[in-house]
Amino acid sequence: MIVVAIDPGLRTSGYAVVSSIASTIKVIDAGTIKADPKAEMAYRIQQIYNDIAHLLSLYDADVLAIEQLYSHYKFPKTSILMGHARAMFLLAAAQKNIPVVDYAATKIKKSLTGNGRASKSQMQHAIASQLGLIKIPEPADVADALAIALCCINYRKDEMPESV
């Protein structure tokens, strides 16, 4: 199974391409998708779309995993703006017929650490440990995308028959 995981953002989005074959998990690619924060909104979301469409053309993904939107009730505009970026990832996946799964941040944290309120540091160490990385993945957007990929793989394994 190949998972493309996205930590969506309007300025910077983290992505990770991770394969899971039997009990072996391997990072194929990881990085960031950046949109010019000074550009008009239409051009920013066009850049996001172009970059994710290109990334999806490079890999034969079985699933796109993405973090659900969350915004503090005092800042509803944040969710609306983030929704623009998230929509581009969903559109690109739909155009390639790639199924999409989304996970709440608390579910991602619980999947990796057993604690839905784990700190950023706990998450980074869990990611490095589970992927056998020598150092903690950076920047945080990439670490978050790797966490989303691992969460997807963990939940998908639970859904698969044991013979697979």
Side-chain angles (χ1 to χ4, degrees):
M1 170 172 62
I2 295 179
V3 177
V4 173
I6 303 293
D7 176 37
L10 202 48
R11 285 188 188 161
T12 303
S13 299
Y15 72 86
V17 182
V18 178
S19 71
S20 174
I21 301 169
S23 62
T24 303
I25 299 173
K26 180 181 173 188
V27 178
I28 299 170
D29 191 6
T32 57
I33 292 172
K34 295 187 179 199
D36 180 356
K38 295 178 184 173
E40 292 180 28
M41 180 64 71
Y43 294 106
R44 289 169 74 179
I45 62 174
Q46 179 184 33
Q47 183 63 57
I48 291 167
Y49 171 79
N50 289 344
D51 289 352
I52 189 60
H54 175 72
L55 183 72
L56 293 177
S57 74
L58 298 175
Y59 302 102
D60 190 20
D62 296 300
V63 64
L64 183 131
I66 191 167
E67 186 174 9
Q68 290 177 355
L69 282 181
Y70 171 79
S71 179
H72 194 276
Y73 71 92
K74 291 182 181 179
F75 307 107
K77 187 176 178 182
T78 302
S79 304
I80 294 166
L81 292 174
M82 288 289 293
H84 294 358
R86 194 170 185 275
M88 294 303 98
F89 295 111
L90 302 178
L91 174 62
Q95 289 179 332
K96 294 269 189 192
N97 293 315
I98 300 169
V100 175
V101 293
D102 61 355
Y103 301 101
T106 53
K107 189 169 190 172
I108 295 164
K109 290 176 179 184
K110 187 169 185 170
S111 166
L112 271 66
T113 68
N115 177 1
R117 298 197 185 276
S119 69
K120 186 70 88 174
S121 175
Q122 288 172 309
M123 287 297 293
Q124 289 172 325
H125 284 88
I127 295 162
S129 174
Q130 290 183 34
L131 291 173
L133 303 175
I134 296 169
K135 61 182 197 171
I136 293 171
E138 291 181 0
D141 306 294
V142 172
D144 291 347
L146 288 167
I148 295 163
L150 288 169
C151 175
C152 178
I153 290 166
N154 290 341
Y155 281 105
R156 291 281 171 141
K157 282 181 183 174
D158 291 344
E159 296 168 2
M160 288 185 206
E162 286 188 33
S163 61
V164 175

